[in-house]
Amino acid sequence: MIHCYKLGGLNIVLDVYSGSVHVVDDASYDIIEMYENKSHDEIMAAVLEKYAGDEEVNAGEIEKCFEQIEELK
């Protein structure tokens, strides 16, 4: 189980079971929030649309985020 929240301008993700705390960027935060309720393709489309002007957010980086989430699961 994870809990996502914002505090003092930081995006914080808490893994309740392991006690791990992660500080993530905005795009990763959005992906993590949608991860359990939306399909891979829906998340990819939403994130690419939201961050269209950000060169650092692209399909390759989003895939890396998915891979990291899977590893942590």
Side-chain angles (χ1 to χ4, degrees), residues 38-71:
K38 298 200 181 277
S39 73
H40 180 280
D41 291 339
E42 289 173 318
I43 295 170
M44 179 72 76
V47 173
L48 286 173
E49 181 179 336
K50 182 174 181 178
Y51 297 96
D54 188 340
E55 293 180 8
E56 292 183 13
V57 180
N58 55 54
E61 291 301 315
I62 295 170
E63 285 298 334
K64 286 180 189 176
C65 186
F66 275 112
E67 290 170 10
Q68 291 173 348
I69 293 169
E70 284 298 316
E71 282 181 32

Side-chain angles (χ1 to χ4, degrees), residues 10-61:
L10 298 174
N11 301 317
I12 301 170
V13 178
L14 172 63
D15 180 345
V16 176
Y17 295 126
S18 72
S20 298
V21 178
H22 305 274
V23 177
V24 299
D25 63 16
D26 291 332
S28 298
Y29 185 86
D30 291 342
I31 293 167
I32 293 166
E33 276 199 317
M34 292 186 275
Y35 190 79
E36 294 293 325
N37 300 316
K38 298 200 181 277
S39 73
H40 180 280
D41 291 339
E42 289 173 318
I43 295 170
M44 179 72 76
V47 173
L48 286 173
E49 181 179 336
K50 182 174 181 178
Y51 297 96
D54 188 340
E55 293 180 8
E56 292 183 13
V57 180
N58 55 54
E61 291 301 315

